[in-house]
Amino acid sequence: MDISIVVPFHQGLHYLKDCLDSLVGQRFSSSVNFEVILVYDRENGQGDILPFLEEYKSSLSLRYMELEDGNGVVAARNLGLVSAAGKYVYFLDSDDYLVEDSLDILWKKVIESSADLVYGNRVVTRFKRHSFLQEFDREGLLE
């Protein structure tokens, strides 16, 4: 496994949908294996989300975990980290999403430099993924 993507989650299925859809849409120029580890803080969450995740079982290597004591985002990240099978770990919040070649760009930097750590630029948005990408594309920034 090349990359483990740890996604802590506690509420907001519409945000999680954007997050997971963006992972399904990742494009790579070379063969890269990645897994998604969704860590659910059920105590502070919104109930059973397993039916919602069914949609992603065929398109993502998705592992589902639950926090036993509901200790929040740091505990969720730590649980995902110790469970990660990837050589590299990417933390993605459940209310965030990636443009389609984000992981490929970061992966190329890893390969080029044999880096232990890489990072990219972040764009703050209050829009749902679809609306944001349309506006971003209109400005010619997705090329």
Side-chain angles (χ1 to χ4, degrees):
M1 186 67 55
D2 297 313
I3 305 169
S4 294
I5 302 165
V6 177
V7 180
F9 173 72
H10 68 96
Q11 65 182 355
L13 285 177
H14 60 289
Y15 290 119
L16 182 60
K17 178 168 179 37
D18 276 353
C19 177
L20 295 177
D21 287 347
S22 79
L23 293 172
V24 169
Q26 287 300 296
R27 297 181 309 180
F28 290 94
S29 57
S30 61
S31 178
V32 177
N33 295 315
F34 72 91
E35 67 177 346
V36 178
I37 304 170
L38 181 68
V39 183
Y40 183 35
D41 184 352
R42 190 180 199 66
E43 183 174 307
N44 297 318
Q46 58 189 49
D48 185 15
I49 66 164
L50 290 176
F52 171 82
L53 297 178
E54 284 297 318
E55 172 184 345
Y56 298 97
K57 282 189 175 181
S58 64
S59 52
L60 286 175
S61 174
L62 179 64
R63 288 197 289 148
Y64 173 81
M65 307 176 83
E66 289 186 9
L67 281 177
E68 292 182 23
D69 298 325
N71 289 321
V73 69
V74 173
R77 285 188 182 128
N78 286 337
L79 179 59
L81 184 60
V82 298
S83 305
K87 183 176 178 183
Y88 291 88
V89 176
Y90 188 93
F91 292 109
L92 181 64
D93 289 340
S94 62
D95 62 347
D96 293 335
Y97 49 85
L98 301 173
V99 293
E100 58 196 22
D101 60 349
S102 298
L103 292 176
D104 186 52
I105 291 169
L106 294 173
W107 185 251
K108 285 177 183 174
K109 291 292 181 191
V110 165
I111 299 303
E112 289 170 6
S113 63
S114 299
D116 292 329
L117 173 75
V118 296
Y119 63 93
N121 294 330
R122 184 178 85 118
V123 176
V124 177
T125 175
R126 300 275 187 244
F127 300 114
K128 289 195 53 72
R129 179 173 170 257
H130 178 74
S131 301
F132 175 72
L133 292 177
Q134 282 182 331
E135 182 64 29
F136 217 58
D137 192 35
R138 239 182 273 135
E139 295 176 14
L141 299 172
L142 287 179
E143 297 171 2

